[in-house]
Amino acid sequence: MIPEAVIGMLACGRIGAIHSVVFGGFASNELASRIDDSKAKVLLTASCGFEPGRTVQYKPLVDEALKLASHKIEKIILYQIPNNEVKLNPANEISWDESLSNAKNVDCVEMNSNEFAYILYTSGTTGIPKGIVRDIGGHIAALKWTMKNIYNIDKDDVWWSASDIGWIVGHSYIVYAPLFKGCTTVLFEGKPVGTPDAGAFWKIISDYKVKSLFTAPTAFRAIKKEDPEGKFFSKYDLGSFESLFLAGERADPDTIKWAESLLNVPVIDHWWQTETSWAISSNCTGIEMMKTKYGSACKAVPGYNVKVIKPDQSIAKPNEMGDIVVKLPLPPGTFPTLWNADERYKKTYMTNYDGYYQTYDAGHIDEDGYIWIMSRTDDIINVAGHRLSTGAIEEVLSEHQSVAECAVIGIADKLKGQLPIGLIALKAGVQKDNETISKECIQMVRDKVGPVAAFKTAIVVKRLPKTRSGKILRGTVRKIADKEDYKMPATIDDPAILDEIKQDLIKSNILK
Ligand code: COA
Ligand code: AMP
């Protein structure tokens, strides 16, 4: 989250190169899989990054990824963070400063509108990341339109998206949309709490006269936890501030109401995905403000024809639950394909419901057209607004030599929305103690997926609950962990296992 990272992205645009930004919280393994899939020619990094309480050394992470990747990167450009300089290999590594000192000015390259601006990898249902691609023309047209119509931002306004450029929110609303609109964007290398305190957001808004802020609900839950009475808030003048936008995960009504009463401005929950790059549903503040319904992400934005479909392919009636889909064609700016994977694109998104894009979100639309996003229909979970695949974590756990089988589920968490927990059943005859195995599994996920997975719980269980056909009953276990009502699945192989799991969850302090 330093200016050089954004300059790097824009420099790619200038010369017509495709960029792919990788979030710093991923492990080398994830970076390697992105290098292999994208076949990148040049890698740009910084020597390190700063997280509250620790410095993340990026160079060793990158070195390890380059070792793991089969594709060979030609050149590495590294920005030396002051006082954290690292040694470079002169054969193919060059510092940012040195590369600038040798650089010549080049003109912008003219591109066709349907060529690609970037690839952004996102979690799919397996460990193989999906490269969402963005075309140039549709991207510019759509994002520029959203700044005024959804966010009510004009050219002279100051806009702040408190996300990270490693995510879609950062791509669209830290870097590109403000640029297309010509307004000022704030790039914040910090967190809502702990850098240095729960007043950081209010200080930035007040110092830079920010008109609107866009962040994830988890950021507000973090502030609320540290400063429930808003003591920090009262220290700053927020006269410039007009609205708060939330997305990335379900915004719980309590958080929205708390933010509204503290800030005294509209708090708008809107829904979108890496695939679309801009909001599918929102209160469009630049067109006409609609009434807030707490828990709903408001109505479809112009360009999206959103429907709810039932398993028998019929369109759901108002308030009936089902899969949320968007009628084709999708509007400009949404993904035209997956990087080098046209078939996967069609099969994953466009096949299950003929003529519709499948969002993999489930919910309902009410009688007034308000959209209610309730859950994912695949194995994706949302941890502090970060999109993760439980399948990818399971793949890592399965590699542990003592693990026979495993299940990862996302359980409700007051701060991060969801947190992954793993249930692991061991191979027969394993001698190692459970605690050691559990610690090793946690470390493996950190090493292979990254700290961003926030994977801190791996419970050794005797066996996993399954259907008679062998499908693990992850949904039922999640309901037990979240103390939700559940029906005993008719196809369950051995109902007694659910009780065993319940006891294990109690012992591990997950279920209180
Ligand atoms: N580089 C390296 N590591 C990173 C990182 C980065 N860019 N971002 C996060 N991490 C690490 C963190 O240091 C942490 O590691 P740890 O296990 O050693 O503590 C781990 O990944 C999990 O990070 P995070 O999910 O951010 O949890 P947190 O406890 O550090 O902070 C919040 C909690 C709520 C303050 C934080 O998640 C936040 O600010 N969220 C805002 C939401 C957001 O920006 N979402 C993006 C999509 S819109
Ligand atoms: P990402 O691609 O990382 O932006 O994650 C997209 C997913 O986050 C969506 O498919 C939803 O599951 C979830 N999501 C995003 N915004 C919202 C919202 N406003 N309400 C509920 N879920 C949301």
Side-chain angles (χ1 to χ4, degrees):
M1 289 294 284
I2 56 174
E4 287 74 11
V6 177
I7 294 166
M9 292 165 78
L10 298 179
C12 288
R14 188 172 181 89
I15 62 169
I18 298 171
H19 66 64
S20 183
V21 182
V22 180
F23 181 63
F26 282 119
S28 301
N29 193 49
E30 293 283 334
L31 177 57
S33 70
R34 286 152 174 78
I35 291 172
D36 278 339
D37 194 75
S38 64
K39 309 253 179 314
K41 195 168 167 183
V42 177
L43 188 146
L44 171 62
T45 184
S47 52
C48 71
F50 301 111
E51 278 292 293
R54 74 186 170 110
T55 300
V56 185
Q57 301 298 341
Y58 286 136
K59 182 65 168 46
L61 278 173
V62 167
D63 287 343
E64 178 64 19
L66 294 173
K67 257 193 248 154
L68 292 171
S70 3
H71 172 75
K72 291 296 156 229
I73 296 267
E74 283 176 24
K75 195 108 198 159
I76 290 156
I77 303 176
L78 181 140
Y79 180 79
Q80 299 278 20
I81 300 281
N83 304 321
N84 287 276
E85 289 83 1
V86 290
K87 216 170 155 285
L88 298 179
N89 173 1
N92 67 341
E93 298 178 352
I94 180 173
S95 76
W96 171 272
D97 284 349
E98 198 189 335
S99 76
L100 279 194
S101 67
N102 295 331
K104 291 189 232 61
N105 275 335
V106 289
D107 285 336
C108 289
V109 173
E110 211 170 281
M111 303 290 285
N112 286 329
S113 66
N114 58 356
E115 285 181 272
F116 298 152
Y118 66 77
I119 311 167
L120 179 57
Y121 287 93
T122 189
S123 302
T125 43
T126 65
I128 307 162
K130 286 191 291 200
I132 305 290
V133 292
R134 195 72 56 216
D135 61 9
I136 295 170
H139 183 217
I140 299 176
L143 261 53
K144 184 171 183 208
W145 182 88
T146 63
M147 283 313 276
K148 178 65 192 167
N149 292 285
I150 297 184
Y151 301 106
N152 197 25
I153 291 289
D154 291 302
K155 243 176 161 226
D156 297 326
D157 292 333
V158 181
W159 158 263
W160 179 22
S161 169
S163 176
D164 187 292
I165 56 160
W167 306 119
I168 186 60
V169 176
H171 275 63
S172 291
Y173 290 104
I174 295 174
V175 182
Y176 287 112
L179 174 75
F180 300 154
K181 184 69 194 175
C183 67
T184 299
T185 185
V186 177
L187 181 72
F188 176 58
E189 191 194 15
K191 302 257 173 170
V193 293
T195 57
D197 54 40
F201 273 26
W202 322 137
K203 180 169 171 22
I204 299 275
I205 293 173
S206 154
D207 283 359
Y208 297 103
K209 308 219 170 350
V210 171
K211 182 174 173 186
S212 291
L213 166 67
F214 176 176
T215 191
T218 195
F220 266 76
R221 288 197 295 269
I223 298 172
K224 183 177 158 202
K225 194 169 159 216
E226 296 249 318
D227 183 21
E229 284 150 30
K231 287 195 182 119
F232 281 105
F233 180 80
S234 51
K235 292 188 194 163
Y236 298 98
D237 169 14
L238 266 73
S240 62
F241 195 49
E242 289 186 10
S243 47
L244 168 67
F245 290 85
L246 298 174
E249 56 177 325
R250 193 175 147 69
D252 52 292
D254 280 356
T255 303
I256 298 188
K257 285 179 191 165
W258 181 80
E260 262 178 359
S261 65
L262 183 76
L263 301 167
N264 204 18
V265 297
V267 176
I268 292 146
D269 176 19
H270 62 330
W271 164 59
W272 51 302
Q273 308 180 305
T274 307
E275 286 83 348
T276 63
S277 89
W278 57 288
I280 308 169
S281 77
S282 182
N283 209 332
C284 293
T285 58
I287 302 176
E288 184 189 359
M289 271 297 274
M290 286 179 276
K291 182 176 108 189
T292 299
K293 289 197 188 186
Y294 297 102
S296 159
C298 210
K299 297 194 195 187
V301 171
Y304 293 96
N305 184 354
V306 182
K307 302 273 180 219
V308 175
I309 287 203
K310 294 196 292 183
D312 65 2
Q313 305 264 337
S314 65
I315 301 287
K317 294 197 195 80
N319 297 313
E320 258 183 358
M321 280 286 290
D323 282 4
I324 305 189
V325 296
V326 183
K327 194 160 179 8
L328 297 175
L330 290 174
T334 53
F335 68 146
T337 188
L338 293 173
W339 179 246
N340 283 340
D342 288 342
E343 274 315 306
R344 187 178 179 194
Y345 171 78
K346 281 188 225 155
K347 194 160 168 263
T348 310
Y349 295 105
M350 312 294 177
T351 309
N352 289 348
Y353 296 110
D354 197 22
Y356 294 94
Y357 159 66
Q358 186 177 359
T359 65
Y360 288 92
D361 279 312
H364 62 270
I365 302 180
D366 70 15
E367 56 289 344
D368 300 323
Y370 280 65
I371 299 170
W372 299 72
I373 309 294
M374 305 313 284
S375 60
R376 287 284 300 196
T377 56
D378 54 7
D379 72 344
I380 299 294
I381 56 169
N382 234 300
V383 180
H386 308 316
R387 173 168 160 174
L388 294 170
S389 151
T390 54
I393 301 176
E394 286 179 5
E395 277 176 23
V396 174
L397 296 180
S398 310
E399 285 170 24
H400 190 288
Q401 54 187 10
S402 302
V403 172
E405 52 182 2
C406 63
V408 173
I409 52 167
I411 59 164
D413 180 73
K414 277 209 175 80
L415 175 64
K416 297 194 175 187
Q418 280 182 302
L419 269 183
I421 63 161
L423 304 179
I424 45 183
L426 305 183
K427 288 179 185 157
V430 168
Q431 298 295 326
K432 240 186 223 175
D433 65 286
N434 290 355
E435 201 183 325
T436 308
I437 294 173
S438 161
K439 274 194 190 139
E440 287 171 355
C441 283
I442 291 169
Q443 192 59 42
M444 278 174 77
V445 173
R446 195 172 170 94
D447 293 344
K448 296 217 162 166
V449 180
V452 67
F455 185 76
K456 307 259 157 84
T457 311
I459 307 171
V460 176
V461 297
K462 214 159 82 192
R463 42 202 187 142
L464 292 169
K466 291 185 190 168
T467 61
R468 280 189 285 276
S469 59
K471 203 168 157 263
I472 298 174
L473 292 162
R474 294 177 181 78
T476 313
V477 176
R478 187 199 60 74
K479 282 187 178 156
I480 295 175
D482 287 345
K483 285 193 180 159
E484 281 177 24
D485 292 339
Y486 68 93
K487 267 200 219 126
M488 180 68 71
T491 54
I492 191 165
D493 187 32
D494 181 354
I497 303 180
L498 289 184
D499 257 341
E500 289 171 18
I501 297 285
K502 204 170 178 177
Q503 295 312 317
D504 288 328
L505 292 170
I506 292 171
K507 265 191 252 150
S508 315
N509 259 334
I510 298 292
L511 197 60
K512 292 188 183 110

